[in-house]
Amino acid sequence: MVRAKIISTGGYLPAKRVTNDDLSKIVDTSDEWIYERTGIRARHMAEGQETTSYMATQAAKQAIERAGLTPNDIDLIIVGTATPDSSFPGVSTQVQGALGMTRGAGFDLQAACSGFVYGLKLADTLIRSGSEKTILVIGAERFTHMVDWTDRSTCVLFGDGAGAVILQASEGDSGILDTAIYSDGSKNDLLYASGGIATTKTVGTVVMHGREVFKHATRAMAQIVDDLLSRNNLARTDVTWLVPHQANKRIIDATAKMLELPADKVVLTVQEHANTSAASIPLALNFAAEKGTFKAGDLLLFEAFGAGFTWGGALVRW
Ligand code: UT7
């Protein structure tokens, strides 16, 4: 049976690290409030030429090198992002150009914070169908350019970065077992950007009704757990590692509790990365993989939730 196997990961975080105390000099907030409500201590902030495509390219280069491939071994690049360098061309083709890739294809995918998981779903399906053999899936965001730096309820929550995985067709038991994606368009107004090319002609800034989003996100995580595990005849206790979207430690804790997973089986990066939207899961995955956290045969559960609302997950046998 052909599966899409994660053969390598890569990541990029800007060098500039901004702490909660740094932010308390800009807006009326405190380290105590931010940490207690979200688990965030710091975030990385892109500077100058560290655009979304630049960060995505760096993460991609690392993943390609670790896989022992060359850029032209890749058939397709999918980039999940809500903060592209420009409206077009897509970040994916900018990465393709920067990598010197002369074949294959690339496109961007907009599913807000769920962009990486949506990308995995697509890549998995294309690989299983035999259409593509090797796919680079990237989540990359420069969200600090999307926040209103006078709005303390949102600006403290986000960070920048990029994470990448290479998926390759492989026979065997390891790889993506299943993916699930969902959306609910009736909740567009709870988390959105206040602008857009077809409306204000500007990109706008993040508007979030935090409490409502929190409620829906927690419910959505439960649905992902139930759906993915039940249709694969797996028990909650079969999950070895939770690799969640890093928006809020309280949401992550609730999901871990549901899975009866101890804290040391949850990949947690929100304290250092904050919410990097579509980049958050691949960055967390790369962070853990670099440390040799996962062992062959481990069952990983990815979960994401974002604007739309969009949400989704993936079950991966390492
Ligand atoms: O990635 C996409 C998915 N996003 C999420 O999953 C985020 C989900 N939501 C959350 O994580 C939380 O709702 C937040 C962290 C955004 C907010 O936490 P909360 O416990 O829901 O706080 P709140 O919005 O209900 O605000 C509580 C109080 C308010 O003051 P009053 O009205 O009670 O006097 C806010 O004005 O906290 C105040 N507040 C702040 N205080 C200090 C809001 N932001 C701040 C701040 N510093 N940065």
Side-chain angles (χ1 to χ4, degrees):
M1 182 182 182
V2 175
R3 286 195 197 286
K5 183 174 173 158
I6 296 176
I7 60 164
S8 69
T9 66
Y12 181 85
L13 282 169
K16 185 175 178 186
R17 180 176 177 271
V18 178
T19 64
N20 293 343
D21 285 335
D22 293 334
L23 292 187
S24 69
K25 292 172 193 137
I26 306 172
V27 286
D28 180 15
T29 191
S30 65
D31 177 54
E32 192 188 8
W33 190 94
I34 300 171
Y35 185 69
E36 271 179 14
R37 301 283 175 135
T38 68
I40 298 167
R41 286 277 191 214
R43 71 283 298 140
H44 290 258
M45 189 184 284
E47 292 183 288
Q49 295 311 302
E50 289 180 312
T51 61
T52 299
S53 71
Y54 174 84
M55 295 188 284
T57 303
Q58 301 311 306
K61 280 183 178 167
Q62 196 173 52
I64 292 167
E65 195 188 312
R66 287 175 176 169
L69 299 177
T70 67
N72 278 334
D73 294 322
I74 291 163
D75 301 319
L76 177 65
I77 304 174
I78 303 174
V79 178
T81 188
T83 51
D85 295 12
S86 50
S87 297
F88 63 87
V91 172
S92 53
T93 56
Q94 291 172 322
V95 171
Q96 186 187 29
L99 291 175
M101 247 175 92
T102 53
R103 60 175 294 279
F107 61 86
D108 291 10
L109 190 157
Q110 220 295 34
C113 297
S114 309
F116 177 75
V117 166
Y118 270 59
L120 276 191
K121 165 110 195 156
L122 203 51
D124 179 44
T125 307
L126 289 169
I127 286 175
R128 280 182 200 250
S129 75
S131 169
E132 255 72 41
K133 284 219 160 9
T134 307
I135 303 183
L136 172 61
V137 183
I138 303 172
E141 303 278 15
R142 190 172 187 173
F143 243 80
T144 61
H145 267 194
M146 269 290 283
V147 293
D148 172 355
W149 284 102
T150 64
D151 175 10
R152 67 175 182 174
S153 71
T154 52
C155 73
V156 302
L157 303 174
F158 294 95
D160 302 326
V165 298
I166 294 179
L167 295 170
Q168 201 162 52
S170 157
E171 301 266 350
D173 294 335
S174 58
I176 297 180
L177 304 186
D178 199 4
T179 52
I181 56 170
Y182 315 80
S183 64
D184 177 357
S186 71
K187 305 292 187 299
N188 268 310
D189 56 343
L190 294 177
L191 176 53
Y192 59 94
S194 61
I197 300 308
T199 52
T200 59
K201 300 189 198 174
T202 61
V203 293
T205 54
V206 178
V207 181
M208 177 159 74
H209 299 272
R211 231 174 254 187
E212 282 296 304
V213 176
F214 188 98
K215 220 165 53 193
H216 286 280
T218 312
R219 264 191 232 136
M221 296 297 152
Q223 180 188 14
I224 297 165
V225 168
D226 284 341
D227 284 0
L228 279 176
L229 293 180
S230 66
R231 73 190 194 204
N232 288 283
N233 296 318
L234 290 162
R236 292 176 178 207
T237 48
D238 288 329
V239 176
T240 330
W241 290 100
L242 177 64
V243 189
H245 174 44
Q246 310 281 329
N248 188 314
K249 186 172 180 296
R250 289 185 290 145
I251 299 173
I252 296 172
D253 287 346
T255 313
K257 197 171 164 203
M258 193 169 29
L259 289 165
E260 297 168 39
L261 270 183
D264 62 353
K265 291 291 182 185
V266 178
V267 178
L268 197 69
T269 51
V270 68
Q271 67 283 11
E272 274 298 312
H273 298 178
N275 184 349
T276 57
S277 183
S280 108
I281 291 179
L283 267 174
L285 183 74
N286 180 58
F287 169 80
E290 273 181 345
K291 293 198 304 183
T293 302
F294 311 126
K295 304 282 172 275
D298 281 356
L299 186 65
L300 277 55
L301 176 64
F302 303 168
E303 289 199 314
F305 184 88
F309 292 141
T310 56
W311 64 103
L315 268 179
V316 178
R317 182 74 66 191
W318 199 253

